[in-house]
Amino acid sequence: MPLTIIIIALVLVLLIIAFKSIRIVQQGHKAAVQSFGRYVGELGPGLHFVTPIIRNIAYVVDMRQRSLDLDPQEIITKDNVNLTIDASAKYHVDNLEEYLYGNTNPEGLLLLDIQNELRDIIGTMTMAEILGGTNKINTDLNQRVFGKTDSYGVTIDRVNIGEVIPPQSIVEAMNKQMDTRTQNNKLLADARAHAEKIAIDTQATVAQLTAINNALNESNLNAAALEYLAIDAKKALAEGPNNTVVLM
C-alpha cells in the first residue's frame, strides 16, 4: 500500500513537471530560454517542450512594432530662438539577446539618441527654416539614428517630429503681422472695388454724353440752341450720382 501511494505520487509529480514543460509562445512574440541563469536560445511562436529543471523560459518579448513618444523639449535654434519640439518613434525588437541582456534600458537609450540627434539638427537651422522644413528634419533625423540602435537589439522604423512651438512673444508677433496683412489686403480689395466702380461710372457717363452729342448733331437745331442743350445736358449729368464729367 505505501509503495502504491509512492508510485502514484511520483507519477503525479512527473505529470505536473511534464505539463509545465509544455509552453506555448504566441504569434508575434519570442521567448528567451535560460539554463541555470545563462541565456541559451530563443523560441518562436508555437508549441514547445522545455527540458524541466535544466531549462526555463525567462522572458517572453513582443516582437511587433511599437511606438515611443519623446516628451516636448526646448531646443535652441541657430538664430538663438528657444523652440519646444516633441517627437515620436516607431521601432521593433530584432535581436532578442541584445535587447534583454545587452543593456538595462533599451527604450531609454533609444530616446536619448533621438534627443541628441534632434538637438544637433535644430542647432544648425534658423526658426524660419525649421517651421518650413519639417520634412527635411524628419529625413535627416531618420538617417542619423538608423543603425545606431543595433547594440540595443532594436531597429528604428521611423522617427517624426511633432508640434513645433515658438516662444509666446514670437507667436504674438506673428499673429499681429498676420492681422496687419489681412487688414492691408482688405483695404487693397476695397480700393480696387472703388476704382472699378469709378471706371464703370465713367464709361456710362461717356456713353450718355456721346449719345446726347450724336442726337444733337443729327437734329435741325441752330448752333446756339445746340450749345444751350448740350450745356444743359452736361449740367444735369454733373448733378447726378455719377458726377464725373468728360467734355466732348
Side-chain angles (χ1 to χ4, degrees):
M1 185 70 178
L3 181 59
T4 303
I5 296 176
I6 293 174
I7 293 173
I8 293 174
L10 288 174
V11 171
L12 289 175
V13 170
L14 291 175
L15 288 175
I16 293 172
I17 293 175
F19 179 76
K20 288 188 175 180
S21 299
I22 298 173
R23 300 299 298 271
I24 297 176
V25 179
Q26 298 297 328
Q27 183 70 32
H29 296 70
K30 283 187 177 181
V33 181
Q34 291 186 171
S35 178
F36 301 109
R38 183 173 62 88
Y39 174 79
V40 293
E42 63 185 42
L43 300 175
L47 180 66
H48 302 276
F49 180 81
V50 180
T51 305
I53 301 175
I54 298 176
R55 294 189 174 187
N56 68 291
I57 290 180
Y59 304 99
V60 177
V61 177
D62 192 336
M63 307 295 288
R64 295 171 296 181
Q65 190 179 70
R66 313 181 191 185
S67 62
L68 191 64
D69 293 327
L70 179 66
D71 292 334
Q73 58 176 327
E74 286 192 357
I75 305 178
I76 300 177
T77 66
K78 183 180 179 180
D79 48 352
N80 294 321
V81 178
N82 284 333
L83 297 180
T84 301
I85 304 176
D86 61 13
S88 62
K90 293 181 179 179
Y91 71 102
H92 67 276
V93 178
D94 64 351
N95 188 317
L96 188 63
E97 183 177 5
E98 288 290 345
Y99 180 76
L100 293 173
Y101 304 99
N103 55 85
T104 58
N105 186 8
E107 281 80 7
L109 294 173
L110 175 60
L111 280 176
L112 188 60
D113 283 342
I114 295 174
Q115 287 177 337
N116 292 336
E117 296 298 340
L118 183 58
R119 287 182 182 277
D120 287 344
I121 293 172
I122 298 301
T124 63
M125 302 174 68
T126 64
M127 185 188 74
E129 292 173 337
I130 294 167
L131 294 177
T134 53
N135 289 334
K136 180 181 182 301
I137 295 172
N138 287 333
T139 300
D140 292 346
L141 187 58
N142 279 276
Q143 290 175 348
R144 289 191 178 209
V145 299
F146 184 79
K148 294 190 68 173
T149 59
D150 291 346
S151 60
Y152 312 151
V154 302
T155 294
I156 296 179
D157 300 315
R158 183 68 182 170
V159 181
N160 289 309
I161 64 170
E163 190 175 11
V164 179
I165 305 176
Q168 185 61 32
S169 58
I170 293 181
V171 173
E172 292 174 355
M174 293 172 65
N175 290 337
K176 185 176 180 180
Q177 183 180 14
M178 188 176 296
D179 291 340
T180 301
R181 186 181 297 115
T182 301
Q183 291 176 0
N184 290 340
N185 290 339
K186 184 177 183 303
L187 291 175
L188 182 60
D190 291 344
R192 286 176 177 172
H194 184 64
E196 291 175 357
K197 183 177 183 303
I198 291 176
I200 293 172
D201 292 344
T202 301
Q203 290 176 358
T205 301
V206 171
Q208 293 179 35
L209 289 174
T210 300
I212 292 172
N213 284 334
N214 291 337
L216 292 175
N217 290 333
E218 292 174 359
S219 68
N220 295 322
L221 297 176
N222 57 36
L226 288 174
E227 182 177 358
Y228 173 79
L229 291 174
I231 293 173
D232 188 60
K234 292 172 183 177
K235 180 180 178 182
L237 288 172
E239 292 175 350
N242 300 326
N243 58 2
T244 300
V245 178
V246 179
L247 299 178
M248 302 291 290

